[in-house]
Amino acid sequence: MDHDHNPSTTANPPSRFPEAPAPWILKGEAYWFITSVFGRSTPSITPSYFDLLEAQSAKLAIEPGAFKGGVGMAVVMRYTESPVGAYDELLIVPGAFTSPKFDKDKENIRITRIYVSTLASLYNGRKNWNTAKHLAKFEFMKGPSGTVIRVFPLVPLSPEDTTTFSDQPCFAASVTLSWMPAIPYDTRITPFTLDIVQPPIEASPQAEINGLVGTDHWTKFLPVYKGKVKTFTSKGLLEGDEYGDDVYFPKFSPWRIGVHWPECLIDFPASKTLTEETSEDPVSQ
């Protein structure tokens, strides 16, 4: 499999965005919509798993034999504390993919599509970890039977537009928390690897304005979640009881029971660069 991947990159960081190098320590609330553990969350990787900007990343993911399955989930995060302030996040991990030949692991999970609510998080996430973040507006509405979550993607009227959002959500779900008490959990005791390997990402020609910087290397990192967990049930609120619109976010079928972190501490380490010369040199200290 050919893992040569050299997207255009932004040499000089946009001055309008605060620099927040890894590692990051974050606090917040998380909803894990589990889609698979040992099987496949989806029969195939469809275009909606990627933004159009990340065309080369999509090309790698749909190569024959690239998608391996395994642990898959969609995640909604409400970060209350981070090096770039509070922000919301939606992401999808369809499962594991073949890692580049110069990595010691044969396969690792990959974040294919991810939205955040602030430009500071978008810029630094792309720069620090190759997470292909894009901008969206988030809506959380709490009611007597649970919380409704809706995410509205940016639909820019021009390449420089960072304020025009779709009036139709790309993700919508209602979640109802279990009455059972939360129990302590630490992802370091998870019995399978959760290392994330991300390919290089393409830059927008307007990166100095929209923050969509690119990179020229593969990255690897292992976030650690610590806190208490409980369960929730959920329902998709888009047409046909779907969670994703299959355009700006993929359709997916989560397990009936999800994992809720009411309060968690997340340690996002500096990513490691994966290259032909050295498979695990830190990008930054």
Side-chain angles (χ1 to χ4, degrees):
M1 183 176 296
D2 182 8
H3 284 285
D4 292 336
H5 186 28
N6 296 300
S8 60
T9 60
T10 300
N12 298 314
S15 59
R16 67 178 293 198
F17 303 106
E19 293 289 338
W24 284 15
I25 302 296
L26 309 96
K27 293 181 180 180
E29 177 184 15
Y31 298 89
W32 287 9
F33 298 80
I34 310 297
T35 56
S36 62
V37 172
F38 299 110
R40 286 192 172 209
S41 61
T42 178
S44 62
I45 301 300
T46 60
S48 59
Y49 277 92
F50 294 88
D51 188 271
L52 291 176
L53 179 61
E54 282 77 47
Q56 290 300 315
S57 297
K59 182 180 178 181
L60 289 177
I62 63 174
E63 287 182 354
F67 179 52
K68 301 298 184 182
V71 177
M73 67 179 74
V75 177
V76 173
M77 287 290 316
R78 302 213 76 185
Y79 294 109
T80 54
E81 296 180 28
S82 87
V84 293
Y87 68 94
D88 300 320
E89 183 175 82
L90 166 70
L91 64 85
I92 186 82
V93 174
F97 293 81
T98 302
S99 292
K101 58 183 178 292
F102 38 82
D103 181 28
K104 66 179 182 179
D105 294 335
K106 292 184 178 180
E107 58 188 60
N108 288 96
I109 61 175
R110 187 178 303 172
I111 300 168
T112 59
R113 196 154 201 176
I114 177 169
Y115 290 102
V116 290
S117 60
T118 69
L119 287 169
S121 169
L122 180 154
Y123 165 70
N124 284 283
R126 296 179 70 93
K127 185 171 181 285
N128 291 341
W129 298 284
N130 287 12
T131 48
K133 294 183 175 183
H134 289 263
L135 203 60
K137 181 177 67 175
F138 288 69
E139 181 181 272
F140 295 83
M141 298 180 62
K142 292 190 175 182
S145 60
T147 300
V148 171
I149 306 168
R150 293 187 176 92
V151 180
F152 302 84
L154 183 74
V155 286
L157 301 178
S158 68
E160 299 83 9
D161 183 3
T162 60
T163 60
T164 303
F165 298 93
S166 173
D167 58 2
Q168 298 297 318
C170 64
F171 169 91
S174 63
V175 296
T176 302
L177 300 182
S178 166
W179 56 268
M180 296 180 66
I183 60 173
Y185 192 71
D186 185 324
T187 56
R188 288 175 294 186
I189 65 172
T190 303
F192 36 77
T193 179
L194 294 175
D195 289 273
I196 299 171
V197 171
Q198 296 291 123
I201 51 176
E202 293 86 345
S204 162
Q206 292 78 29
E208 292 190 359
I209 297 173
N210 59 31
L212 296 173
V213 294
T215 63
D216 60 3
H217 54 268
W218 288 75
T219 60
K220 186 175 187 177
F221 54 95
L222 177 61
V224 173
Y225 285 69
K226 294 180 286 185
K228 292 186 175 182
V229 298
K230 62 190 303 182
T231 61
F232 68 86
T233 57
S234 66
K235 179 182 179 181
L237 297 180
L238 299 182
E239 185 177 356
D241 295 335
E242 297 286 353
Y243 290 78
D245 67 349
D246 206 29
V247 177
Y248 291 98
F249 203 73
K251 291 182 179 180
F252 65 95
S253 299
W255 292 2
R256 193 175 70 86
I257 301 296
V259 178
H260 177 233
W261 299 73
E263 293 182 14
C264 58
L265 183 71
I266 307 103
D267 180 358
F268 255 83
S271 63
K272 298 176 181 180
T273 296
L274 302 179
T275 67
E276 293 281 6
E277 291 75 25
T278 172
S279 64
E280 301 212 349
D281 283 347
V283 171
S284 59
Q285 298 293 334

